[in-house]
Amino acid sequence: MEPTILTFRLVKSEIDKYKDENKSTTHARAFLEYVIEKTLELNRDEVVESIIDGSGDRGIDAIYIDEDSDDRPVVYLVQSKYYESEEKFSRSLEGDALSKMQHAIENLILKSPKVIHNGNEFLLSKLRDIKALSNPRFQIIFCSNSSEPALDVKKQFALFVEEVSQGQDFFRVDYITLKKLNELITPVSSRQINANLQLSGQYFDWSLGEARVVVGRISGKEIAELCRREGKELFDRNVRGYFGRKKNIVNKEIFKTATDPIEGSRFFFLNNGITTVCDTISYL
């Protein structure tokens, strides 16, 4: 089903709330921050650090570099457009946004760093980091609280991406518009998860009124396998939200501690554990 004015209002309400909670300077800025946080699974500091929007941004609103991607570094280039008037909810994302991104790629990414002089300090710093990467892939993200660009505009940009990629998968494109925003905001109904976990050593089992608590020790490998098998839905009741894979700063530090030859053996004592909430529990 195509988005309606109700979808537009839902997104606006979410952005209003996000702006107040995070003290974003404008609704457009809050929208950009929101999309980056939700789609790239970043924490607040990483979101703020990625944004270069402003005078001298050369057509790119945000850049995030993921050096811990599975196969090669990924550079996210984000272009954002936020409409505040309800009269514009059904319009297509303006082709000008795609043109600006194309010019930015041609003049900033595909040229030697010695040729690049103009741009704000945040942009130039990001470009220096990009030039230091070995064989990166670029993920272009267009986000807007409107409909996708017209087919001819998308086709033209797709031809540009295909040409500059030269069959090497250098560039990919994603459009985050009202339809995808609705999916980000509206949670999918949770499915039931059944899992068997192997505790080691002694454990404690006691009742606290209506609740029952079991405390024990479990291997990190078993937790990792559970996460891999069940996916994000495993974290649906996490009040702090799911930080994503190890590319997140917090998760990087956890991963570093867990794999360190010395600190790894003390991991159990350095962390306050994992709380699993369930409807029923039984053990042998």
Side-chain angles (χ1 to χ4, degrees):
M1 179 181 294
E2 289 301 312
T4 66
I5 189 67
L6 298 179
T7 311
F8 183 91
R9 291 170 180 168
L10 173 66
V11 172
K12 185 178 185 304
S13 175
E14 187 78 359
I15 299 306
D16 287 345
K17 182 175 66 174
Y18 186 91
K19 178 180 181 295
D20 292 340
E21 290 176 349
N22 294 281
K23 296 180 173 56
S24 303
T25 53
T26 65
H27 285 88
R29 168 77 179 228
F31 177 71
L32 174 61
E33 293 173 352
Y34 180 88
V35 173
I36 293 173
E37 177 181 314
K38 298 300 181 182
T39 57
L40 303 188
E41 299 173 345
L42 304 181
N43 64 29
R44 180 65 183 168
D45 290 339
E46 291 172 311
V47 170
V48 172
E49 196 274 335
S50 73
I51 295 178
I52 59 175
D53 182 32
S55 177
D57 62 29
R58 303 288 296 275
I60 304 177
D61 294 328
I63 297 177
Y64 177 72
I65 301 174
D66 178 12
E67 296 188 59
D68 295 319
S69 185
D70 293 337
D71 53 354
R72 57 201 277 203
V74 177
V75 179
Y76 294 88
L77 308 176
V78 184
Q79 173 67 257
S80 173
K81 181 66 177 178
Y82 183 73
Y83 300 102
E84 297 202 39
S85 173
E86 289 188 358
E87 297 177 358
K88 299 182 178 180
F89 94 93
S90 60
R91 73 183 302 168
S92 298
L93 173 62
E94 298 170 3
D96 183 53
L98 281 70
S99 299
K100 287 182 178 180
M101 180 62 76
Q102 179 173 334
H103 291 318
I105 291 172
E106 290 173 334
N107 295 298
L108 302 177
I109 304 300
L110 301 179
K111 285 188 176 181
S112 166
K114 295 181 181 180
V115 181
I116 303 168
H117 301 291
N118 299 324
N120 63 41
E121 59 178 310
F122 305 107
L123 172 64
L124 296 178
S125 175
K126 292 290 185 182
L127 292 176
R128 287 192 292 269
D129 293 339
I130 292 172
K131 298 300 179 182
L133 298 174
S134 175
N135 189 31
R137 177 174 67 79
F138 294 85
Q139 181 72 46
I140 304 165
I141 298 177
F142 294 105
C143 54
S144 171
N145 61 333
S146 61
S147 300
E148 289 194 357
L151 288 176
D152 59 331
V153 176
K154 285 183 65 176
K155 183 177 180 180
Q156 183 178 353
F157 192 79
L159 290 174
F160 163 72
V161 167
E162 182 179 353
E163 180 182 350
V164 296
S165 289
Q166 300 178 331
Q168 299 299 318
D169 192 31
F170 288 137
F171 294 89
R172 298 180 186 175
V173 188
D174 191 18
Y175 296 93
I176 299 174
T177 49
L178 275 179
K179 187 174 183 179
K180 285 193 176 180
L181 288 169
N182 184 52
E183 295 172 357
L184 282 175
I185 295 171
T186 307
V188 179
S189 298
S190 299
R191 63 181 172 83
Q192 183 176 359
I193 295 177
N194 297 310
N196 294 318
L197 302 177
Q198 180 66 49
L199 301 180
S200 60
Q202 292 184 324
Y203 61 86
F204 303 94
D205 181 357
W206 69 93
S207 177
L208 297 173
E210 297 181 356
R212 178 184 173 194
V213 179
V214 176
V215 179
R217 187 172 61 182
I218 187 172
S219 74
K221 287 184 179 179
E222 188 158 358
I223 293 295
E225 172 57 26
L226 180 64
C227 294
R228 184 200 65 76
R229 187 173 66 248
E230 303 296 345
K232 295 181 183 179
E233 290 178 78
L234 192 65
F235 302 91
D236 279 351
R237 296 188 182 181
N238 187 353
V239 295
R240 294 188 301 172
Y242 174 46
F243 271 170
R245 301 180 302 166
K246 68 178 183 180
K247 67 183 181 183
N248 176 275
I249 289 176
V250 175
N251 287 348
K252 283 181 180 178
E253 292 301 315
I254 294 175
F255 182 82
K256 180 180 177 181
T257 301
T259 56
D260 184 271
I262 298 177
E263 295 297 309
S265 62
R266 305 170 183 167
F267 192 84
F268 177 81
F269 303 100
L270 297 174
N271 293 271
N272 60 2
I274 298 172
T275 300
T276 302
V277 180
C278 58
D279 296 319
T280 60
I281 184 172
S282 61
Y283 57 86
L284 299 177

